[in-house]
PDB file of all heavy atoms in Angstrom:
ATOM      1  N   PRO D 115      -7.458  13.661   6.398  1.00  0.00           N
ATOM      2  CA  PRO D 115      -6.857  14.833   7.043  1.00  0.00           C
ATOM      3  C   PRO D 115      -6.413  14.489   8.465  1.00  0.00           C
ATOM      4  O   PRO D 115      -6.597  13.360   8.927  1.00  0.00           O
ATOM      5  CB  PRO D 115      -8.016  15.830   7.061  1.00  0.00           C
ATOM      6  CG  PRO D 115      -9.204  14.951   7.322  1.00  0.00           C
ATOM      7  CD  PRO D 115      -8.921  13.671   6.541  1.00  0.00           C
ATOM      8  N   ALA D 116      -5.896  15.466   9.171  1.00  0.00           N
ATOM      9  CA  ALA D 116      -5.460  15.297  10.559  1.00  0.00           C
ATOM     10  C   ALA D 116      -6.685  15.312  11.474  1.00  0.00           C
ATOM     11  O   ALA D 116      -7.072  16.352  12.018  1.00  0.00           O
ATOM     12  CB  ALA D 116      -4.472  16.386  10.936  1.00  0.00           C
ATOM     13  N   LEU D 117      -7.317  14.162  11.636  1.00  0.00           N
ATOM     14  CA  LEU D 117      -8.526  14.025  12.438  1.00  0.00           C
ATOM     15  C   LEU D 117      -8.292  14.504  13.872  1.00  0.00           C
ATOM     16  O   LEU D 117      -7.307  14.124  14.494  1.00  0.00           O
ATOM     17  CB  LEU D 117      -8.976  12.559  12.478  1.00  0.00           C
ATOM     18  CG  LEU D 117      -9.270  11.886  11.145  1.00  0.00           C
ATOM     19  CD1 LEU D 117      -9.572  10.405  11.356  1.00  0.00           C
ATOM     20  CD2 LEU D 117     -10.412  12.574  10.429  1.00  0.00           C
ATOM     21  N   GLY D 118      -9.204  15.327  14.367  1.00  0.00           N
ATOM     22  CA  GLY D 118      -9.148  15.760  15.756  1.00  0.00           C
ATOM     23  C   GLY D 118      -8.128  16.828  16.091  1.00  0.00           C
ATOM     24  O   GLY D 118      -7.997  17.219  17.245  1.00  0.00           O
ATOM     25  N   CYS D 119      -7.409  17.302  15.079  1.00  0.00           N
ATOM     26  CA  CYS D 119      -6.301  18.230  15.339  1.00  0.00           C
ATOM     27  C   CYS D 119      -6.602  19.682  14.988  1.00  0.00           C
ATOM     28  O   CYS D 119      -5.750  20.543  15.161  1.00  0.00           O
ATOM     29  CB  CYS D 119      -5.056  17.776  14.585  1.00  0.00           C
ATOM     30  SG  CYS D 119      -4.482  16.150  15.107  1.00  0.00           S
ATOM     31  N   GLY D 120      -7.790  19.964  14.517  1.00  0.00           N
ATOM     32  CA  GLY D 120      -8.152  21.347  14.197  1.00  0.00           C
ATOM     33  C   GLY D 120      -9.029  21.911  15.294  1.00  0.00           C
ATOM     34  O   GLY D 120      -8.579  22.163  16.406  1.00  0.00           O
ATOM     35  N   VAL D 121     -10.292  22.058  14.974  1.00  0.00           N
ATOM     36  CA  VAL D 121     -11.279  22.595  15.903  1.00  0.00           C
ATOM     37  C   VAL D 121     -11.308  21.781  17.201  1.00  0.00           C
ATOM     38  O   VAL D 121     -11.558  22.326  18.282  1.00  0.00           O
ATOM     39  CB  VAL D 121     -12.690  22.594  15.250  1.00  0.00           C
ATOM     40  CG1 VAL D 121     -13.736  23.155  16.187  1.00  0.00           C
ATOM     41  CG2 VAL D 121     -12.671  23.374  13.947  1.00  0.00           C
ATOM     42  N   ALA D 122     -11.039  20.468  17.115  1.00  0.00           N
ATOM     43  CA  ALA D 122     -11.114  19.584  18.283  1.00  0.00           C
ATOM     44  C   ALA D 122      -9.925  19.727  19.224  1.00  0.00           C
ATOM     45  O   ALA D 122      -9.894  19.112  20.286  1.00  0.00           O
ATOM     46  CB  ALA D 122     -11.260  18.135  17.835  1.00  0.00           C
ATOM     47  N   GLY D 123      -8.908  20.500  18.832  1.00  0.00           N
ATOM     48  CA  GLY D 123      -7.868  20.925  19.751  1.00  0.00           C
ATOM     49  C   GLY D 123      -6.761  19.961  20.109  1.00  0.00           C
ATOM     50  O   GLY D 123      -5.949  20.264  20.981  1.00  0.00           O
ATOM     51  N   PHE D 124      -6.652  18.799  19.462  1.00  0.00           N
ATOM     52  CA  PHE D 124      -5.575  17.866  19.792  1.00  0.00           C
ATOM     53  C   PHE D 124      -4.290  18.345  19.133  1.00  0.00           C
ATOM     54  O   PHE D 124      -4.297  18.871  18.019  1.00  0.00           O
ATOM     55  CB  PHE D 124      -5.929  16.451  19.310  1.00  0.00           C
ATOM     56  CG  PHE D 124      -5.159  15.368  19.992  1.00  0.00           C
ATOM     57  CD1 PHE D 124      -5.569  14.880  21.222  1.00  0.00           C
ATOM     58  CD2 PHE D 124      -4.016  14.844  19.419  1.00  0.00           C
ATOM     59  CE1 PHE D 124      -4.852  13.872  21.866  1.00  0.00           C
ATOM     60  CE2 PHE D 124      -3.295  13.847  20.040  1.00  0.00           C
ATOM     61  CZ  PHE D 124      -3.708  13.352  21.277  1.00  0.00           C
ATOM     62  N   ALA D 125      -3.160  18.160  19.794  1.00  0.00           N
ATOM     63  CA  ALA D 125      -1.857  18.602  19.269  1.00  0.00           C
ATOM     64  C   ALA D 125      -1.560  17.915  17.936  1.00  0.00           C
ATOM     65  O   ALA D 125      -1.608  16.681  17.842  1.00  0.00           O
ATOM     66  CB  ALA D 125      -0.752  18.303  20.265  1.00  0.00           C
ATOM     67  N   LEU D 126      -1.276  18.708  16.914  1.00  0.00           N
ATOM     68  CA  LEU D 126      -1.075  18.173  15.565  1.00  0.00           C
ATOM     69  C   LEU D 126       0.066  17.170  15.499  1.00  0.00           C
ATOM     70  O   LEU D 126      -0.078  16.125  14.862  1.00  0.00           O
ATOM     71  CB  LEU D 126      -0.838  19.310  14.563  1.00  0.00           C
ATOM     72  CG  LEU D 126      -0.585  18.874  13.125  1.00  0.00           C
ATOM     73  CD1 LEU D 126      -1.760  18.073  12.569  1.00  0.00           C
ATOM     74  CD2 LEU D 126      -0.298  20.089  12.254  1.00  0.00           C
ATOM     75  N   ASP D 127       1.196  17.442  16.138  1.00  0.00           N
ATOM     76  CA  ASP D 127       2.326  16.515  16.028  1.00  0.00           C
ATOM     77  C   ASP D 127       1.971  15.133  16.576  1.00  0.00           C
ATOM     78  O   ASP D 127       2.237  14.115  15.943  1.00  0.00           O
ATOM     79  CB  ASP D 127       3.599  17.081  16.675  1.00  0.00           C
ATOM     80  CG  ASP D 127       3.418  17.454  18.140  1.00  0.00           C
ATOM     81  OD1 ASP D 127       2.275  17.577  18.632  1.00  0.00           O
ATOM     82  OD2 ASP D 127       4.458  17.643  18.802  1.00  0.00           O
ATOM     83  N   GLU D 128       1.312  15.092  17.732  1.00  0.00           N
ATOM     84  CA  GLU D 128       0.937  13.800  18.302  1.00  0.00           C
ATOM     85  C   GLU D 128      -0.220  13.164  17.532  1.00  0.00           C
ATOM     86  O   GLU D 128      -0.228  11.956  17.281  1.00  0.00           O
ATOM     87  CB  GLU D 128       0.566  13.937  19.779  1.00  0.00           C
ATOM     88  CG  GLU D 128       0.333  12.581  20.416  1.00  0.00           C
ATOM     89  CD  GLU D 128       0.071  12.643  21.908  1.00  0.00           C
ATOM     90  OE1 GLU D 128       0.314  13.689  22.540  1.00  0.00           O
ATOM     91  OE2 GLU D 128      -0.392  11.612  22.430  1.00  0.00           O
TER      92      GLU D 128
END
Side-chain angles (χ1 to χ4, degrees):
L117 302 175
C119 298
V121 180
F124 200 83
L126 179 59
D127 57 344
E128 187 175 346

